[in-house]
Amino acid sequence: DHKHFNSVPGFVEAAARMPHAADNLGRLFRDSGMWRELPDWYVDHSASPWGEMRWSLAQLGTMFPSEVASKKRKRRLRRVQDFFLGQLAVAGDQLPLDALAAQRLAAWDGDSARDALRWAAKSSADPHTRRVLALAAANAGEQPRLIRRTLSEFEENQATLRMLEDRRFKVKVKRDFDGD
């Protein structure tokens, strides 16, 4: 809150030992701008024993903002994007990480995200995962008929489908999760 970011590198070093604080660390890394230096660290962390705690990995991943305007930043995030695409390939594995991966991919590259989201939705039999994928697909500009198909199979998703129809398939992401 006070923009005192001198100690941030120490928190990066300690992050693996602080999975319980990952939600706050993700925001700290984002707000301080440290996220620009952490794409490789994040992907490496995901493959470490500490990365097995998928909730904390999802929370740390919120450091990467949805809006990445420059080509240089997009190149820098390529490993993270590839990691998120891999996460969608096993969607249903961990819902918080599935949600982050789907939303960020939809924001970063809607065209490739739509393909990945379609594939993930076809291979998922979980209503919660389908809901996450459908909401991200709406943000990626997916066709409403495909979003309807993704949601309509499960009674649990009917309220979400009605909400999307009411909003003409436009979804607003909370600013804090969006990272912008």
Side-chain angles (χ1 to χ4, degrees):
D1 288 347
H2 299 289
K3 310 275 187 240
H4 294 272
F5 298 129
N6 296 345
S7 301
V8 173
F11 283 103
V12 173
E13 289 179 29
R17 297 183 307 277
M18 301 171 62
H20 57 285
D23 51 344
N24 291 307
L25 291 174
R27 288 173 180 87
L28 174 66
F29 299 160
R30 178 187 66 216
D31 295 347
S32 68
M34 181 62 88
W35 70 269
R36 292 176 185 91
E37 300 174 32
L38 297 177
D40 289 333
W41 173 88
Y42 178 77
V43 175
D44 294 343
H45 177 78
S46 75
S48 77
W50 291 104
E52 293 296 316
M53 293 180 215
R54 302 312 248 188
W55 174 86
S56 67
L57 192 59
Q59 294 301 314
L60 287 170
T62 63
M63 77 173 112
F64 303 112
S66 296
E67 184 64 40
V68 183
S70 76
K71 288 183 181 185
K72 182 179 178 182
R73 284 194 183 158
K74 286 182 181 185
R75 277 193 309 275
R76 193 176 281 166
L77 288 171
R78 188 67 207 175
R79 275 191 78 202
V80 176
Q81 186 172 350
D82 289 344
F83 170 72
F84 286 161
L85 283 167
Q87 181 61 36
L88 285 187
V90 293
D93 182 22
Q94 294 292 325
L95 196 58
L97 192 53
D98 293 344
L100 177 70
Q103 189 276 329
R104 290 305 194 266
L105 288 170
W108 292 344
D109 184 357
D111 293 336
S112 65
R114 282 191 299 275
D115 291 337
L117 293 164
R118 281 182 209 133
W119 188 89
K122 283 181 192 173
S123 47
S124 173
D126 177 68
H128 303 298
T129 301
R130 288 270 192 97
R131 185 176 312 128
V132 161
L133 297 170
L135 291 169
N139 276 331
E142 184 59 271
Q143 299 172 25
R145 68 179 174 78
L146 294 174
I147 296 169
R148 276 189 193 93
R149 188 178 336 150
T150 299
L151 292 172
S152 63
E153 189 175 334
F154 298 98
E155 180 61 35
E156 297 95 317
N157 290 335
Q158 294 311 303
T160 302
L161 179 55
R162 285 192 303 276
M163 183 256 327
L164 285 171
E165 289 171 339
D166 266 3
R167 295 180 178 191
R168 294 185 175 95
F169 292 87
K170 302 289 185 229
V171 179
K172 204 170 186 182
V173 178
K174 287 191 87 55
R175 187 179 180 283
D176 183 54
F177 183 75
D178 204 25
D180 293 331

